[in-house]
Structures are given as C-alpha cells and as structure tokens.
Amino acid sequence: MAERSFKAEVEQLKLGDGDVFDGEGILAVTKALLQAGVAYVGGYQGSPISHLMDVFADASDLMAGLGVHFESSASEATAAAMLAASVNYPLRGAVAWKSVVGTNVASDALSNVASGGVTGGALIILGEDYGEGSSIMQERTHAFAMKSQMWLLDPRPSLPLIVDMVEKGFELSEASNTPVMLELRVRACHVTGSFVARDNKRPRLTVAEAAAAPNRDTGRIVLPPANFVHEVEKIEKRWPAGIDFVTRNKLNEHFGTPQDEIGIIVQGGLFNSLNRALELLGLSDAFGNAALPVYVLNVTYPLIPDEVQAFCAGKRAVLVVEEGQPEFIEHELNTLVRRADLNTRIVGKEALPRAGEYTAAVIRDGIAKFLRAHAPERAPAEEAAPPPALPPSAVPQRPAGFCTGCPERPIFSAMKLVQKEIGELHVSADIGCHLFSILPPFHIGNTTMGYGLGTAGASAFKPEGKRAVAIMGDGGFWHNGLTSGIGNAVFNQDDNLTIIVDNGYSAATGGQDIPSSRATPPHRQTNNPIERAVRGVGIAWAKTRTRTYDVAGMRDAIRDALTAPEKGPKVLVAQSECQLNRQRRLKPQLAKAMKAGERVVRERFGVDPDTCTGDHSCIRLSGCPSLTIRANPDPLREDPVAHVENSCVGCGVCGEVSHAAVLCPSFYKARIIANPNGRDRVRQRLRGWVIGALQKRSARKLAARAF
C-alpha cells in the first residue's frame, strides 16, 4: 500500500497522438517510456523517484496490455541486473532508483553492463537526491558515470524536454552500445507542465519473444580476453558514437544572446534556478531570454569538445554553474579549453560555493561575484552592510521524528528502560524510520552504514559480558539484511542481538508492500514471516513480539535476549503495523461510515491534570508529537502539566511507557463515539448522573472541612 494511489493519473498514460498531457514530471517520464516502446521496467523505490515505481505498479494492467514487463525489484542491484536483457537483444529497458545510494548498491551489475555494452537501449533513471531536501550523504552520480563510462543526461526541468530526453536516451544508448543514465533532481521530478502526447508503442520485441529465441554473444560477457577488448571498444567505438549522436541531435541547448565577451555554462537540471538568479539581477526574463550567452548541458557526460570550443571562443571568461564537488565539469572544461588553445578563463568554484545546494539566491550571489571580476560595468552595485539585527528569538529545533502513534517509538522506550537496568549498549543502526531513534528524546544509535547493514555494522563488536545490538527494518531486511547481516552473523556466530522492526511495509520509502507485508496485493506473494526466514538461514534464538505498543513486554523481551545464556546471534522481530499507513487505510473508512450515520468509536488518551505532577518523564521516554504541555490548572502549582492533543490516534504508548517505567497513574483512555445509539446515550446519561452525584458529595465534604 503506497502512500498514495495514482489510479486517476494513470488514465493520462492512455493519451494518444496529439492529446495534451498535463501533470507532474514523474508521470511524464512514465508516459515517455511507453511512447518510446520500452519492453521492461524495474526499480527500487526511494525519494525522489518513489512515485515512479508507484505509478508503474498502478499502471501494471496498461503495461501488460502493451506487452511491457514490470517488476518492483528487491533491491537496486536486482533492478540493474535486469539490464542484462538488453545486452544480446534489441530490447529497450529502463530501471530506476534513488541515487547515489542506489547506484552504490547496483554498482556490480552496472560495471558489468557498462563493460560489455548493450544492443538494445538501456536507460537508468536516477532520483538525484542532493541538497537541503536530501536524506542521504551529499554525493553525485557524475563520478560513477565517468568511472564506468556511461552517458549522463541532466535535462532542463521542462516536461517536453524531459519526455524528449527519455526517447533520445534510448536512441543514444542504441547508437553507442552504452547504458545511459538520466538523472532527475527533486525539482524535476515534481515540476508540473504539459506536453503533446504520442501513441504508446508496443515494444518491437517483448521479453517473452526474446526468451523464446535465445541468443548469446560471448564477446559481451566480462571474461578475459573480452574484458580487455571492451576497454578499447569504449574509447575507439562507443565514445565517438556517443559524441556524434549528442552533436547531431543537439541535445545541449543555447539560451540568451548569441555573442558576448562572457558567458555561462550550466548543468541542465540547474537551468531554472540559474534563470531565476539572472532575473533577480535584471539579466533575464521568465522565458530564458538572458542578456548573455548560456550553454545548457543537458548531457553532462560526455562533454562535446567542438561545442565547448565554439561557445568559449572569443570570450574573456565563462562561469560554470556546477553543483557539488569535486568540480568534474570545471576540470574537464579547463582541459578542453587548453587543448583548443583558447585564452578563455573558466570560473567555477572561485565564484560559487564548493558544497551545498545551488538555490537561486546562491547562484545570484555567484553571478554577481563573477561579473564584478570579469565584467564590472555590468555588475550590480554591492549592497551596503545591513544594520546589526536584533537578537533572534529562540526558535525550538524540530528534529526529524516518529509519526504520531508510530509502533517503532515504544521499541526505543523499552530499550531505554533496559539500559537503565544493564547499562549503555552499542547500537548499530540502519536506514529507515527507526533511524530517528538517534535523535531526542531517545539518543539511541551509534553508527549507521547503509540499508540493511545494521547487523553487519555490529559484527565487529564482541564486548565482554554485554551484547551489542543491531536495529534493522523489514524493508532493509529484505533488501540486503538477510544475507549480509543475518547470514553473516550465523556464519561467524556473532553473539549479538538484532531487533528487526516489522511494520508491514517499506515505510520510509512511501509504504510499498514487501515480502512480509500482511496485505495481499495482486501479482505479488506476501505474508512471508521474517522469523521463518531467519530460522531458515540458521538462527536458533528467534522470537516475535506481535504488539510493540506493549512497552513492558518489549522491555522484558529485549532484556531476555541480552541476558540469555545461549551463545550465537539472536533475532527479535518487533511487529506492529505502520501507524501512518494504518491511518491512510482507516480514516477514509471511518469518514465514510460517519457520513452514512453509522456508529463509529475512536479511542484516544488523555492526562488527568489533577494527578499529573508535571515532571514530564512521559515525554522524555515517548516523544509522541501529540504529547505536549499546557498550563497547570491548579493556581498553587507552577509546573505545566502533560497534555494529549486531539491528533492522538489512541495507540496508548504514552500510558504504557508511564506504567512500564513506574512513572505515574495520570493517563486515562477515552472512547469518542460518533453517531451514538440509544444504549450509548442512556449509558452516558447514567455515567453523568453518577459522576455528578459523587462530585457534589465531594464538594460538600470539602466545604464542611473548610468550616
């Protein structure tokens, strides 16, 4: 169950020749693949291309009707290995994942397919996740494209161009027998626009037809002596063919004035930000009519020597807008300019930051610095230093955290309680929502090394008398952790504990189903228990807790695993459904029932302000967004009391934590009834009468004591 359905948008994929498509970048890429006659598609979800995989899943019937094979791959390596279908057959194939982490996982398969080359078009769609909105290490795909010599497209964020680059990407791959990477930055994935659609094409050859007529070419397999031939072929055949195709098809673009003494070279994906920066300086308009020449690299690797020479000739200086570091493009431009015996000064990181996202404001400042040095008559006046600002008001930090009702929060509350008993533990964390445990209020987690590598990261630790703990999500477990983590621990008999957080989905990437999901999606087999899988590779001590919200039970289970006399790896599966996905499923059902006049009961928790002491231990051990503080109603007490807001989903963790930690009895559970029946109304009146009578009696006693 993905975080949203694209069933309605998928209808646009059926548009034919001359129809106008209007929508988001990701959906446009899907339509472009179908128009290009793609034969197979695979991939692994991850921002910012998670929705691409979700669209494919929702469009599976349409794709099947066209003879297009689609798989939601177990990992990026699995997806990359699918490109083997394009090695010996004229099959157009596309795979997708989050880069650069996905490319790292897929690197073995990519290196092989890049070495042997392809016959059909092979397109790798990468969600280039760099900048402030990123959740990963700040690296770029460019280095991998250079290392393995795969062409890298970075299209200007415009739907007609992106759609065209998908088609041209396949053609470039076929013309040069080289896989092509198409990187889509966050803004490109979500940019909206329109383009004139074409008819969807049935692939010239389907995967079923190819399998029915097997073909092999040992010269494409990476074994000596063929692998040595591949290296020569890359330089003598594929490189010139790629350069020729990019040049003939004018994949790179020119904006602005045709001639000037200065100019700008920019990565295609940054063009919109560059043009906005030029607008702010009065050097362009919203349509890209710049007051100086701009060379847009929709193909960032390889660079085209003749185009670079033609653009730089006669210019004193050229500014290179290249996000991230090392500055690969700047280095190569300097080489090409020197080889062409030009005196053009290439200016890059001396005017722009070496690291960090290039927003319009950052680029604006870089252009202004470039102009002051190389065209001072066109530079904006330097702004006077602003007067000293008043001290900023303290704004509380808002670190990433678990959703309201998240079933992972009580696991870490339980771990904190265990650590109070047996001491601090080394915790090897993993990629996923559970990584939020390293932040307040839990402060749990010492390292994280990659998706599904939590257990592997703990393998080096052999503390005397105390076991190290690894955390792994169910998504990471099926992606990589079963073999590299659990299997490795069994083989080496690591005496550590792995807690596998089983929330039923690949939750951090958008709620997609995985092998252990309890849902029953069509065309997939789910309901494969994690405990059965770990026992299958040799884990002897394995237990499953089916309700993580039982904090005391979780505490006892973790303690038992850490103190059990048996040696060897241990696995505790902590199982409860992702609350966010649960609410996505239940809220529409409850809203529909209430609208129909049906009786609906919702549970939520609260804090009795008269009982609460105001020490806020519950908040420090829970951290739920719905648990906050408010003024104490007792005028004789100063400390604010804990308070549960209406966003509460009734998971009960706050109360469970308080009771497991022996904190206080101030929590209560309430049942909110919509469309109550007659019995509910009678019960409520009776309760009101009894409570009112008791309150009056209590008031009389207090009054009597006062006198």
Side-chain angles (χ1 to χ4, degrees):
M1 176 185 173
E3 65 181 4
R4 61 164 292 194
S5 170
F6 288 88
K7 289 292 186 182
E9 289 89 340
V10 160
E11 291 301 309
Q12 288 210 75
L13 300 181
K14 300 175 182 178
L15 294 176
D17 196 30
D19 294 333
V20 176
F21 174 101
D22 188 14
E24 198 177 35
I26 284 294
L27 199 68
V29 171
T30 315
K31 174 60 174 165
L33 290 171
L34 298 180
Q35 292 179 173
V38 69
Y40 64 92
V41 178
Y44 191 84
Q45 60 275 356
S47 174
I49 57 88
S50 288
H51 288 168
L52 183 62
M53 302 307 300
D54 298 337
V55 169
F56 281 133
D58 286 340
S60 55
D61 291 340
L62 170 63
M63 297 175 74
L66 290 168
V68 180
H69 174 66
F70 166 67
E71 281 194 8
S72 182
S73 307
S75 72
E76 297 87 352
T78 308
M82 291 181 71
L83 295 176
S86 294
V87 171
N88 293 321
Y89 305 93
L91 292 165
R92 286 188 168 182
V95 294
W97 54 72
K98 175 190 185 81
S99 182
V100 295
V101 285
T103 304
N104 292 340
V105 173
S107 59
D108 199 3
L110 289 179
S111 292
N112 273 274
V113 74
S115 180
V118 293
T119 301
L123 190 65
I124 303 150
I125 302 169
L126 304 169
E128 190 74 349
D129 194 3
Y130 182 93
E132 292 180 3
S134 174
S135 62
I136 60 168
M137 67 288 293
Q138 296 295 273
E139 295 182 2
R140 299 161 54 198
T141 302
H142 202 104
F144 198 98
M146 294 171 62
K147 183 269 295 181
S148 292
Q149 194 172 305
M150 292 187 285
W151 314 141
L152 180 62
L153 310 183
D154 185 9
R156 176 170 54 86
S158 163
L159 257 57
L161 180 68
I162 291 173
V163 169
D164 186 55
M165 291 296 275
V166 170
E167 174 83 26
K168 289 297 191 291
F170 280 126
E171 294 176 6
L172 171 60
S173 177
E174 292 160 348
S176 60
N177 305 115
T178 301
V180 172
M181 291 177 157
L182 173 70
E183 68 177 18
L184 296 173
R185 299 160 189 264
V186 175
R187 290 178 176 82
C189 287
H190 301 299
V191 68
T192 57
S194 61
F195 65 91
V196 178
R198 293 185 288 108
D199 289 336
N200 296 330
K201 289 183 183 177
R202 185 178 178 84
R204 288 173 295 177
L205 181 72
T206 67
V207 290
E209 292 165 346
N215 180 39
R216 71 192 285 264
D217 179 1
T218 54
R220 296 298 106 210
I221 298 175
V222 187
L223 279 174
N227 55 317
F228 306 115
V229 176
H230 296 163
E231 185 178 21
V232 176
E233 183 182 297
K234 281 183 175 182
I235 300 304
E236 294 185 353
K237 178 185 175 185
R238 301 185 207 170
W239 184 284
I243 295 285
D244 179 67
F245 183 90
V246 174
T247 304
R248 284 189 297 102
N249 288 273
K250 296 180 172 59
L251 298 189
N252 296 320
E253 300 175 291
H254 291 269
F255 286 84
T257 58
Q259 298 294 331
D260 205 312
E261 292 185 330
I262 58 172
I264 298 177
I265 297 177
V266 61
Q267 294 168 292
L270 294 179
F271 175 79
N272 289 4
S273 296
L274 168 69
N275 193 62
R276 178 57 182 154
L278 291 170
E279 278 190 88
L280 295 172
L281 293 169
L283 296 174
S284 187
D285 60 19
F287 302 98
N289 296 312
L292 69 169
V294 179
Y295 177 37
V296 182
L297 298 175
N298 292 316
V299 182
T300 52
Y301 184 77
L303 298 183
I304 312 303
D306 290 346
E307 292 184 1
V308 171
Q309 180 178 348
F311 183 79
C312 293
K315 292 182 174 62
R316 290 198 310 267
V318 168
L319 176 66
V320 183
V321 182
E322 176 186 8
E323 191 174 60
Q325 54 83 35
E327 54 272 30
F328 299 116
I329 297 174
E330 183 180 342
H331 290 166
E332 190 170 357
L333 286 171
N334 270 303
T335 300
L336 294 176
V337 166
R338 296 289 81 78
R339 284 177 179 170
D341 199 23
L342 299 175
N343 292 321
T344 307
R345 174 76 181 275
I346 300 297
V347 180
K349 298 303 182 186
E350 63 190 87
L352 288 157
R354 293 194 63 83
E357 184 176 355
Y358 281 7
T359 62
V362 170
I363 297 175
R364 176 200 60 198
D365 294 343
I367 295 172
K369 186 176 181 180
F370 168 75
L371 292 175
R372 282 193 289 270
H374 300 283
E377 71 283 358
R378 299 160 71 174
E382 290 196 59
E383 297 179 3
L390 294 173
S393 58
V395 178
Q397 292 185 351
R398 185 181 180 274
F402 299 105
C403 300
T404 302
C406 177
E408 302 182 18
R409 180 179 289 106
I411 298 172
F412 300 104
S413 295
M415 286 183 67
K416 286 188 75 71
L417 295 175
V418 171
Q419 287 192 131
K420 287 178 65 177
E421 297 179 27
I422 66 176
E424 292 291 316
L425 301 165
H426 176 89
V427 179
S428 177
D430 208 313
I431 302 299
C433 299
H434 43 84
L435 190 56
F436 297 147
S437 63
I438 69 171
L439 300 172
F442 300 111
H443 302 284
I444 291 176
N446 299 71
T447 56
T448 177
M449 299 307 297
Y451 199 27
L453 295 177
T455 304
S459 62
F461 292 91
K462 307 291 189 292
E464 290 292 332
K466 187 185 294 185
R467 292 177 173 123
V469 177
I471 307 292
M472 188 188 303
D474 46 359
F477 172 81
W478 293 112
H479 176 276
N480 187 27
L482 177 59
T483 52
S484 65
I486 304 300
N488 179 73
V490 170
F491 184 71
N492 292 290
Q493 280 300 285
D494 294 330
D495 190 26
N496 293 333
L497 166 64
T498 297
I499 300 174
I500 300 178
V501 181
D502 180 9
N503 60 27
Y505 308 89
S506 184
T509 61
Q512 294 82 9
D513 290 314
I514 51 179
S516 52
S517 295
R518 264 71 75 194
T520 54
H523 316 301
R524 292 188 175 93
Q525 180 180 332
T526 54
N527 287 279
N528 299 290
I530 290 176
E531 184 177 331
R532 184 189 301 172
V534 300
R535 289 188 180 279
V537 296
I539 292 289
W541 196 105
K543 296 181 181 180
T544 299
R545 296 285 307 180
T546 58
R547 184 174 177 272
T548 65
Y549 297 106
D550 178 5
V551 177
M554 281 301 310
R555 176 200 60 200
D556 295 344
I558 294 171
R559 186 201 301 116
D560 290 347
L562 291 172
T563 57
E566 299 92 338
K567 299 296 182 182
K570 296 163 186 62
V571 172
L572 175 62
V573 182
Q575 189 181 80
S576 279
E577 185 182 11
C578 167
Q579 190 66 236
L580 196 59
N581 265 30
R582 182 174 181 271
Q583 292 302 315
R584 288 185 185 123
R585 188 181 70 251
L586 291 181
K587 280 186 175 180
Q589 297 174 3
L590 296 178
K592 183 178 179 181
M594 283 193 284
K595 188 175 181 180
E598 298 177 19
R599 180 179 182 271
V600 174
V601 180
R602 180 169 72 90
E603 291 184 346
R604 60 158 293 180
F605 282 73
V607 176
D608 182 356
D610 294 328
T611 308
C612 177
T613 63
D615 69 346
H616 309 144
S617 298
C618 52
I619 296 176
R620 291 193 294 273
L621 277 171
S622 169
C624 179
S626 69
L627 189 57
T628 182
I629 59 174
R630 71 176 182 183
N632 200 313
D634 188 340
L636 299 179
R637 295 161 60 194
E638 295 182 355
D639 293 330
V641 296
H643 172 66
V644 180
E645 293 185 337
N646 200 43
S647 59
C648 172
V649 296
C651 70
V653 167
C654 49
E656 293 270 1
V657 167
S658 294
H659 293 304
V662 196
L663 295 177
C664 69
S666 61
F667 283 90
Y668 64 84
K669 181 168 69 173
R671 298 167 76 240
I672 302 171
I673 303 175
N675 301 319
N677 56 29
R679 181 180 297 177
D680 294 324
R681 297 180 187 278
V682 170
R683 188 184 294 118
Q684 179 64 18
R685 283 197 292 268
L686 179 60
R687 285 174 176 165
W689 181 84
V690 172
I691 292 172
L694 292 174
Q695 287 177 332
K696 289 178 181 178
R697 188 176 69 176
S698 177
R700 286 196 297 268
K701 287 183 178 180
L702 289 173
R705 288 175 186 170
F707 287 107

